[in-house]
mmCIF file of all heavy atoms in Angstrom:
data_model
loop_
_atom_site.group_PDB
_atom_site.id
_atom_site.type_symbol
_atom_site.label_atom_id
_atom_site.label_comp_id
_atom_site.label_asym_id
_atom_site.label_seq_id
_atom_site.Cartn_x
_atom_site.Cartn_y
_atom_site.Cartn_z
ATOM 1 N N SER A 1 -19.671 -10.506 0.560
ATOM 2 C CA SER A 1 -20.476 -10.568 1.845
ATOM 3 C C SER A 1 -19.623 -10.216 3.052
ATOM 4 O O SER A 1 -18.429 -10.440 2.966
ATOM 5 C CB SER A 1 -21.114 -11.912 2.020
ATOM 6 O OG SER A 1 -20.100 -12.919 2.304
ATOM 7 N N SER A 2 -20.213 -9.640 4.085
ATOM 8 C CA SER A 2 -19.510 -9.136 5.196
ATOM 9 C C SER A 2 -18.705 -10.209 5.866
ATOM 10 O O SER A 2 -17.589 -9.965 6.400
ATOM 11 C CB SER A 2 -20.387 -8.469 6.159
ATOM 12 O OG SER A 2 -21.403 -9.436 6.646
ATOM 13 N N SER A 3 -19.123 -11.456 5.867
ATOM 14 C CA SER A 3 -18.338 -12.554 6.472
ATOM 15 C C SER A 3 -17.060 -12.900 5.706
ATOM 16 O O SER A 3 -16.126 -13.397 6.281
ATOM 17 C CB SER A 3 -19.183 -13.834 6.592
ATOM 18 O OG SER A 3 -19.568 -14.346 5.322
ATOM 19 N N GLU A 4 -17.064 -12.588 4.386
ATOM 20 C CA GLU A 4 -15.863 -12.824 3.576
ATOM 21 C C GLU A 4 -15.016 -11.610 3.249
ATOM 22 O O GLU A 4 -14.003 -11.717 2.656
ATOM 23 C CB GLU A 4 -16.317 -13.443 2.290
ATOM 24 C CG GLU A 4 -17.007 -14.764 2.347
ATOM 25 C CD GLU A 4 -17.544 -15.226 1.029
ATOM 26 O OE1 GLU A 4 -17.025 -14.856 -0.027
ATOM 27 O OE2 GLU A 4 -18.533 -16.002 0.974
ATOM 28 N N CYS A 5 -15.541 -10.467 3.712
ATOM 29 C CA CYS A 5 -14.900 -9.260 3.384
ATOM 30 C C CYS A 5 -13.576 -9.055 4.092
ATOM 31 O O CYS A 5 -13.429 -9.303 5.240
ATOM 32 C CB CYS A 5 -15.786 -8.057 3.670
ATOM 33 S SG CYS A 5 -15.180 -6.427 3.206
ATOM 34 N N ARG A 6 -12.537 -8.676 3.345
ATOM 35 C CA ARG A 6 -11.243 -8.367 3.825
ATOM 36 C C ARG A 6 -10.839 -6.944 3.434
ATOM 37 O O ARG A 6 -9.851 -6.700 2.892
ATOM 38 C CB ARG A 6 -10.201 -9.343 3.358
ATOM 39 C CG ARG A 6 -10.463 -10.770 3.817
ATOM 40 C CD ARG A 6 -9.455 -11.659 3.363
ATOM 41 N NE ARG A 6 -9.637 -13.000 3.919
ATOM 42 C CZ ARG A 6 -8.866 -13.973 3.924
ATOM 43 N NH1 ARG A 6 -7.628 -13.785 3.404
ATOM 44 N NH2 ARG A 6 -9.142 -15.109 4.401
ATOM 45 N N CYS A 7 -11.767 -6.028 3.716
ATOM 46 C CA CYS A 7 -11.627 -4.680 3.203
ATOM 47 C C CYS A 7 -11.647 -3.760 4.427
ATOM 48 O O CYS A 7 -12.086 -4.072 5.499
ATOM 49 C CB CYS A 7 -12.811 -4.262 2.297
ATOM 50 S SG CYS A 7 -13.045 -5.362 0.915
ATOM 51 N N TYR A 8 -11.130 -2.531 4.217
ATOM 52 C CA TYR A 8 -11.235 -1.506 5.202
ATOM 53 C C TYR A 8 -12.337 -0.607 4.671
ATOM 54 O O TYR A 8 -12.447 -0.202 3.551
ATOM 55 C CB TYR A 8 -9.939 -0.720 5.184
ATOM 56 C CG TYR A 8 -8.760 -1.512 5.779
ATOM 57 C CD1 TYR A 8 -7.966 -2.288 4.921
ATOM 58 C CD2 TYR A 8 -8.530 -1.549 7.060
ATOM 59 C CE1 TYR A 8 -6.962 -3.053 5.403
ATOM 60 C CE2 TYR A 8 -7.461 -2.279 7.612
ATOM 61 C CZ TYR A 8 -6.698 -3.010 6.797
ATOM 62 O OH TYR A 8 -5.657 -3.821 7.282
ATOM 63 N N ARG A 9 -13.224 -0.201 5.627
ATOM 64 C CA ARG A 9 -14.335 0.613 5.240
ATOM 65 C C ARG A 9 -14.126 2.155 5.521
ATOM 66 O O ARG A 9 -13.427 2.422 6.502
ATOM 67 C CB ARG A 9 -15.593 0.177 6.057
ATOM 68 C CG ARG A 9 -15.895 -1.266 5.807
ATOM 69 C CD ARG A 9 -17.413 -1.405 5.731
ATOM 70 N NE ARG A 9 -17.713 -2.780 5.396
ATOM 71 C CZ ARG A 9 -18.016 -3.210 4.122
ATOM 72 N NH1 ARG A 9 -18.044 -2.320 3.183
ATOM 73 N NH2 ARG A 9 -18.260 -4.448 3.847
ATOM 74 N N LEU A 10 -14.571 2.961 4.585
ATOM 75 C CA LEU A 10 -14.398 4.363 4.772
ATOM 76 C C LEU A 10 -15.651 5.011 4.144
ATOM 77 O O LEU A 10 -15.901 4.924 2.898
ATOM 78 C CB LEU A 10 -13.142 4.818 3.954
ATOM 79 C CG LEU A 10 -12.887 6.293 3.932
ATOM 80 C CD1 LEU A 10 -12.554 6.772 5.349
ATOM 81 C CD2 LEU A 10 -11.697 6.607 3.044
ATOM 82 N N HIS A 11 -16.434 5.693 5.011
ATOM 83 C CA HIS A 11 -17.686 6.384 4.608
ATOM 84 C C HIS A 11 -18.570 5.451 3.748
ATOM 85 O O HIS A 11 -19.106 5.904 2.679
ATOM 86 C CB HIS A 11 -17.337 7.645 3.863
ATOM 87 C CG HIS A 11 -16.469 8.582 4.601
ATOM 88 N ND1 HIS A 11 -16.809 9.195 5.756
ATOM 89 C CD2 HIS A 11 -15.165 8.934 4.301
ATOM 90 C CE1 HIS A 11 -15.772 9.942 6.157
ATOM 91 N NE2 HIS A 11 -14.782 9.833 5.328
ATOM 92 N N GLY A 12 -18.834 4.237 4.195
ATOM 93 C CA GLY A 12 -19.692 3.300 3.495
ATOM 94 C C GLY A 12 -19.082 2.655 2.266
ATOM 95 O O GLY A 12 -19.727 1.865 1.654
ATOM 96 N N PHE A 13 -17.881 2.986 1.980
ATOM 97 C CA PHE A 13 -17.174 2.363 0.828
ATOM 98 C C PHE A 13 -16.124 1.379 1.449
ATOM 99 O O PHE A 13 -15.688 1.609 2.555
ATOM 100 C CB PHE A 13 -16.523 3.378 -0.098
ATOM 101 C CG PHE A 13 -17.474 4.163 -0.873
ATOM 102 C CD1 PHE A 13 -17.978 5.403 -0.332
ATOM 103 C CD2 PHE A 13 -17.951 3.719 -2.062
ATOM 104 C CE1 PHE A 13 -18.915 6.158 -1.068
ATOM 105 C CE2 PHE A 13 -18.891 4.490 -2.768
ATOM 106 C CZ PHE A 13 -19.327 5.652 -2.298
ATOM 107 N N SER A 14 -15.646 0.514 0.676
ATOM 108 C CA SER A 14 -14.562 -0.356 1.085
ATOM 109 C C SER A 14 -13.365 -0.157 0.167
ATOM 110 O O SER A 14 -13.451 -0.014 -1.047
ATOM 111 C CB SER A 14 -14.952 -1.812 1.077
ATOM 112 O OG SER A 14 -15.239 -2.246 -0.271
ATOM 113 N N LEU A 15 -12.202 -0.112 0.799
ATOM 114 C CA LEU A 15 -11.007 -0.049 0.046
ATOM 115 C C LEU A 15 -10.264 -1.401 0.151
ATOM 116 O O LEU A 15 -9.907 -1.795 1.245
ATOM 117 C CB LEU A 15 -10.039 1.027 0.621
ATOM 118 C CG LEU A 15 -10.631 2.428 0.649
ATOM 119 C CD1 LEU A 15 -9.719 3.359 1.391
ATOM 120 C CD2 LEU A 15 -10.872 2.918 -0.779
ATOM 121 N N LEU A 16 -10.269 -2.163 -0.893
ATOM 122 C CA LEU A 16 -9.717 -3.462 -0.879
ATOM 123 C C LEU A 16 -8.231 -3.367 -0.557
ATOM 124 O O LEU A 16 -7.520 -2.767 -1.283
ATOM 125 C CB LEU A 16 -9.956 -4.242 -2.173
ATOM 126 C CG LEU A 16 -9.673 -5.676 -2.298
ATOM 127 C CD1 LEU A 16 -10.511 -6.426 -1.283
ATOM 128 C CD2 LEU A 16 -9.914 -6.211 -3.672
ATOM 129 N N LYS A 17 -7.823 -4.132 0.453
ATOM 130 C CA LYS A 17 -6.399 -4.088 0.888
ATOM 131 C C LYS A 17 -5.679 -5.333 0.504
ATOM 132 O O LYS A 17 -4.489 -5.368 0.294
ATOM 133 C CB LYS A 17 -6.320 -3.895 2.351
ATOM 134 C CG LYS A 17 -6.662 -2.437 2.798
ATOM 135 C CD LYS A 17 -5.661 -1.467 2.204
ATOM 136 C CE LYS A 17 -6.055 -0.003 2.589
ATOM 137 N NZ LYS A 17 -5.163 0.845 1.939
ATOM 138 N N ARG A 18 -6.338 -6.483 0.409
ATOM 139 C CA ARG A 18 -5.631 -7.732 0.040
ATOM 140 C C ARG A 18 -6.638 -8.759 -0.487
ATOM 141 O O ARG A 18 -7.763 -8.758 -0.050
ATOM 142 C CB ARG A 18 -4.806 -8.316 1.157
ATOM 143 C CG ARG A 18 -5.639 -8.682 2.402
ATOM 144 C CD ARG A 18 -4.745 -8.945 3.549
ATOM 145 N NE ARG A 18 -5.457 -8.601 4.764
ATOM 146 C CZ ARG A 18 -5.686 -9.466 5.778
ATOM 147 N NH1 ARG A 18 -5.246 -10.719 5.675
ATOM 148 N NH2 ARG A 18 -6.391 -9.136 6.787
ATOM 149 N N PHE A 19 -6.206 -9.644 -1.303
ATOM 150 C CA PHE A 19 -7.000 -10.742 -1.771
ATOM 151 C C PHE A 19 -6.685 -11.961 -0.953
ATOM 152 O O PHE A 19 -5.543 -12.147 -0.554
ATOM 153 C CB PHE A 19 -6.742 -11.055 -3.238
ATOM 154 C CG PHE A 19 -7.152 -9.977 -4.146
ATOM 155 C CD1 PHE A 19 -6.324 -9.078 -4.682
ATOM 156 C CD2 PHE A 19 -8.524 -9.872 -4.517
ATOM 157 C CE1 PHE A 19 -6.695 -8.102 -5.603
ATOM 158 C CE2 PHE A 19 -8.945 -8.909 -5.343
ATOM 159 C CZ PHE A 19 -8.049 -8.020 -5.970
ATOM 160 N N PRO A 20 -7.638 -12.832 -0.721
ATOM 161 C CA PRO A 20 -7.242 -14.103 -0.048
ATOM 162 C C PRO A 20 -6.392 -14.902 -0.982
ATOM 163 O O PRO A 20 -6.563 -14.881 -2.170
ATOM 164 C CB PRO A 20 -8.616 -14.818 0.134
ATOM 165 C CG PRO A 20 -9.569 -14.130 -0.792
ATOM 166 C CD PRO A 20 -9.072 -12.752 -1.070
ATOM 167 N N LEU A 21 -5.335 -15.505 -0.370
ATOM 168 C CA LEU A 21 -4.406 -16.285 -1.199
ATOM 169 C C LEU A 21 -4.736 -17.743 -1.256
ATOM 170 O O LEU A 21 -5.362 -18.296 -0.296
ATOM 171 C CB LEU A 21 -2.987 -16.153 -0.548
ATOM 172 C CG LEU A 21 -2.384 -14.732 -0.631
ATOM 173 C CD1 LEU A 21 -1.089 -14.745 0.032
ATOM 174 C CD2 LEU A 21 -2.274 -14.278 -2.044
ATOM 175 N N SER A 22 -4.466 -18.409 -2.320
ATOM 176 C CA SER A 22 -4.661 -19.799 -2.492
ATOM 177 C C SER A 22 -3.629 -20.577 -1.703
ATOM 178 O O SER A 22 -2.695 -20.037 -1.180
ATOM 179 C CB SER A 22 -4.668 -20.177 -3.957
ATOM 180 O OG SER A 22 -3.398 -19.958 -4.461
ATOM 181 N N ALA A 23 -3.691 -21.913 -1.667
ATOM 182 C CA ALA A 23 -2.799 -22.746 -0.920
ATOM 183 C C ALA A 23 -1.375 -22.551 -1.478
ATOM 184 O O ALA A 23 -0.398 -22.687 -0.626
ATOM 185 C CB ALA A 23 -3.252 -24.234 -1.089
ATOM 186 N N ASP A 24 -1.178 -22.235 -2.697
ATOM 187 C CA ASP A 24 0.227 -22.149 -3.222
ATOM 188 C C ASP A 24 0.750 -20.754 -2.972
ATOM 189 O O ASP A 24 1.899 -20.437 -3.338
ATOM 190 C CB ASP A 24 0.308 -22.549 -4.766
ATOM 191 C CG ASP A 24 -0.415 -21.545 -5.628
ATOM 192 O OD1 ASP A 24 -1.087 -20.581 -5.148
ATOM 193 O OD2 ASP A 24 -0.294 -21.699 -6.813
ATOM 194 N N GLY A 25 -0.012 -19.872 -2.341
ATOM 195 C CA GLY A 25 0.434 -18.549 -1.930
ATOM 196 C C GLY A 25 0.259 -17.449 -2.924
ATOM 197 O O GLY A 25 0.493 -16.303 -2.602
ATOM 198 N N ALA A 26 -0.230 -17.737 -4.106
ATOM 199 C CA ALA A 26 -0.466 -16.673 -5.089
ATOM 200 C C ALA A 26 -1.773 -16.897 -5.807
ATOM 201 O O ALA A 26 -1.937 -17.708 -6.594
ATOM 202 C CB ALA A 26 0.686 -16.656 -6.110
ATOM 203 N N CYS A 27 -2.764 -16.084 -5.433
ATOM 204 C CA CYS A 27 -4.050 -16.173 -6.065
ATOM 205 C C CYS A 27 -4.009 -15.551 -7.440
ATOM 206 O O CYS A 27 -3.475 -14.485 -7.617
ATOM 207 C CB CYS A 27 -5.102 -15.425 -5.124
ATOM 208 S SG CYS A 27 -6.758 -15.385 -5.811
ATOM 209 N N GLY A 28 -4.618 -16.287 -8.377
ATOM 210 C CA GLY A 28 -4.611 -15.805 -9.783
ATOM 211 C C GLY A 28 -5.259 -14.425 -9.824
ATOM 212 O O GLY A 28 -4.763 -13.582 -10.620
ATOM 213 N N LYS A 29 -6.324 -14.196 -9.123
ATOM 214 C CA LYS A 29 -6.968 -12.894 -9.143
ATOM 215 C C LYS A 29 -6.017 -11.820 -8.685
ATOM 216 O O LYS A 29 -5.974 -10.700 -9.168
ATOM 217 C CB LYS A 29 -8.242 -12.956 -8.283
ATOM 218 C CG LYS A 29 -9.085 -11.745 -8.357
ATOM 219 C CD LYS A 29 -10.344 -11.912 -7.588
ATOM 220 C CE LYS A 29 -11.275 -10.700 -7.660
ATOM 221 N NZ LYS A 29 -12.486 -10.834 -6.881
ATOM 222 N N ALA A 30 -5.239 -12.083 -7.646
ATOM 223 C CA ALA A 30 -4.306 -11.114 -7.084
ATOM 224 C C ALA A 30 -3.196 -10.825 -8.111
ATOM 225 O O ALA A 30 -2.763 -9.664 -8.163
ATOM 226 C CB ALA A 30 -3.651 -11.648 -5.816
ATOM 227 N N LEU A 31 -2.818 -11.780 -8.890
ATOM 228 C CA LEU A 31 -1.741 -11.528 -9.903
ATOM 229 C C LEU A 31 -2.232 -10.738 -11.095
ATOM 230 O O LEU A 31 -1.481 -10.103 -11.820
ATOM 231 C CB LEU A 31 -1.123 -12.830 -10.358
ATOM 232 C CG LEU A 31 -0.374 -13.650 -9.373
ATOM 233 C CD1 LEU A 31 0.063 -14.987 -9.905
ATOM 234 C CD2 LEU A 31 0.856 -12.892 -8.906
ATOM 235 N N ASP A 32 -3.544 -10.716 -11.291
ATOM 236 C CA ASP A 32 -4.121 -9.963 -12.411
ATOM 237 C C ASP A 32 -4.391 -8.499 -12.071
ATOM 238 O O ASP A 32 -4.688 -7.681 -12.961
ATOM 239 C CB ASP A 32 -5.453 -10.586 -12.859
ATOM 240 C CG ASP A 32 -5.217 -11.915 -13.536
ATOM 241 O OD1 ASP A 32 -4.120 -12.086 -14.128
ATOM 242 O OD2 ASP A 32 -6.112 -12.761 -13.591
ATOM 243 N N GLN A 33 -4.260 -8.064 -10.792
ATOM 244 C CA GLN A 33 -4.453 -6.731 -10.426
ATOM 245 C C GLN A 33 -3.263 -5.826 -10.894
ATOM 246 O O GLN A 33 -2.208 -6.320 -11.139
ATOM 247 C CB GLN A 33 -4.644 -6.578 -8.945
ATOM 248 C CG GLN A 33 -3.402 -6.892 -8.105
ATOM 249 C CD GLN A 33 -3.662 -6.760 -6.641
ATOM 250 O OE1 GLN A 33 -4.326 -5.840 -6.201
ATOM 251 N NE2 GLN A 33 -3.088 -7.684 -5.877
ATOM 252 N N PRO A 34 -3.550 -4.527 -11.147
ATOM 253 C CA PRO A 34 -2.488 -3.629 -11.467
ATOM 254 C C PRO A 34 -1.400 -3.496 -10.301
ATOM 255 O O PRO A 34 -1.705 -3.665 -9.200
ATOM 256 C CB PRO A 34 -3.220 -2.363 -11.715
ATOM 257 C CG PRO A 34 -4.644 -2.675 -11.919
ATOM 258 C CD PRO A 34 -4.848 -3.945 -11.070
ATOM 259 N N VAL A 35 -0.203 -3.179 -10.737
ATOM 260 C CA VAL A 35 0.909 -2.996 -9.821
ATOM 261 C C VAL A 35 0.545 -1.912 -8.783
ATOM 262 O O VAL A 35 0.883 -2.065 -7.574
ATOM 263 C CB VAL A 35 2.163 -2.664 -10.534
ATOM 264 C CG1 VAL A 35 3.311 -2.310 -9.576
ATOM 265 C CG2 VAL A 35 2.629 -3.850 -11.451
ATOM 266 N N GLY A 36 -0.102 -0.881 -9.191
ATOM 267 C CA GLY A 36 -0.474 0.210 -8.267
ATOM 268 C C GLY A 36 -1.455 -0.274 -7.192
ATOM 269 O O GLY A 36 -1.286 0.131 -6.014
ATOM 270 N N GLU A 37 -2.373 -1.137 -7.494
ATOM 271 C CA GLU A 37 -3.270 -1.708 -6.431
ATOM 272 C C GLU A 37 -2.487 -2.582 -5.472
ATOM 273 O O GLU A 37 -2.688 -2.551 -4.275
ATOM 274 C CB GLU A 37 -4.409 -2.549 -7.073
ATOM 275 C CG GLU A 37 -5.488 -1.689 -7.721
ATOM 276 C CD GLU A 37 -6.625 -2.502 -8.338
ATOM 277 O OE1 GLU A 37 -6.807 -3.661 -7.837
ATOM 278 O OE2 GLU A 37 -7.234 -2.032 -9.216
ATOM 279 N N TRP A 38 -1.551 -3.401 -5.999
ATOM 280 C CA TRP A 38 -0.744 -4.185 -5.139
ATOM 281 C C TRP A 38 0.136 -3.343 -4.182
ATOM 282 O O TRP A 38 0.218 -3.622 -3.010
ATOM 283 C CB TRP A 38 0.189 -5.162 -5.981
ATOM 284 C CG TRP A 38 1.123 -5.946 -5.208
ATOM 285 C CD1 TRP A 38 0.885 -6.940 -4.356
ATOM 286 C CD2 TRP A 38 2.567 -5.730 -5.123
ATOM 287 N NE1 TRP A 38 2.052 -7.429 -3.833
ATOM 288 C CE2 TRP A 38 3.081 -6.645 -4.300
ATOM 289 C CE3 TRP A 38 3.417 -4.827 -5.741
ATOM 290 C CZ2 TRP A 38 4.468 -6.723 -3.986
ATOM 291 C CZ3 TRP A 38 4.753 -4.906 -5.469
ATOM 292 C CH2 TRP A 38 5.247 -5.789 -4.565
ATOM 293 N N LEU A 39 0.731 -2.295 -4.682
ATOM 294 C CA LEU A 39 1.544 -1.466 -3.899
ATOM 295 C C LEU A 39 0.657 -0.709 -2.854
ATOM 296 O O LEU A 39 1.082 -0.472 -1.666
ATOM 297 C CB LEU A 39 2.253 -0.406 -4.711
ATOM 298 C CG LEU A 39 3.447 -0.942 -5.528
ATOM 299 C CD1 LEU A 39 3.898 0.073 -6.564
ATOM 300 C CD2 LEU A 39 4.594 -1.316 -4.566
ATOM 301 N N GLU A 40 -0.616 -0.435 -3.169
ATOM 302 C CA GLU A 40 -1.580 0.133 -2.205
ATOM 303 C C GLU A 40 -1.772 -0.805 -1.081
ATOM 304 O O GLU A 40 -1.745 -0.475 0.091
ATOM 305 C CB GLU A 40 -2.860 0.411 -2.899
ATOM 306 C CG GLU A 40 -3.932 0.914 -2.000
ATOM 307 C CD GLU A 40 -3.718 2.306 -1.391
ATOM 308 O OE1 GLU A 40 -3.101 3.146 -2.074
ATOM 309 O OE2 GLU A 40 -4.188 2.584 -0.287
ATOM 310 N N GLN A 41 -1.857 -2.076 -1.433
ATOM 311 C CA GLN A 41 -2.129 -3.153 -0.387
ATOM 312 C C GLN A 41 -0.881 -3.286 0.485
ATOM 313 O O GLN A 41 -0.987 -3.546 1.673
ATOM 314 C CB GLN A 41 -2.423 -4.513 -1.061
ATOM 315 C CG GLN A 41 -3.724 -4.509 -1.822
ATOM 316 C CD GLN A 41 -3.851 -5.720 -2.691
ATOM 317 O OE1 GLN A 41 -3.114 -6.677 -2.567
ATOM 318 N NE2 GLN A 41 -4.762 -5.719 -3.592
#
């Protein structure tokens, strides 16, 4: 949803740049992403 979105928009699409982090600093979802996506972020 737009209130929770942390994306950059480009021509109606969003390019995810970062995941929200949990209190311990490393969100499980963020750790499951490919290295290439992380480097993009």
Side-chain angles (χ1 to χ4, degrees):
S1 69
S2 61
S3 64
E4 297 174 26
C5 184
R6 294 183 178 196
C7 306
Y8 293 89
R9 300 222 175 260
L10 179 65
H11 305 295
F13 291 91
S14 64
L15 301 173
L16 189 60
K17 290 294 180 184
R18 60 189 153 123
F19 291 103
L21 295 176
S22 63
D24 69 355
C27 177
K29 187 175 181 181
L31 292 174
D32 288 336
Q33 69 181 317
V35 171
E37 285 182 24
W38 173 72
L39 285 167
E40 174 72 30
Q41 294 168 14

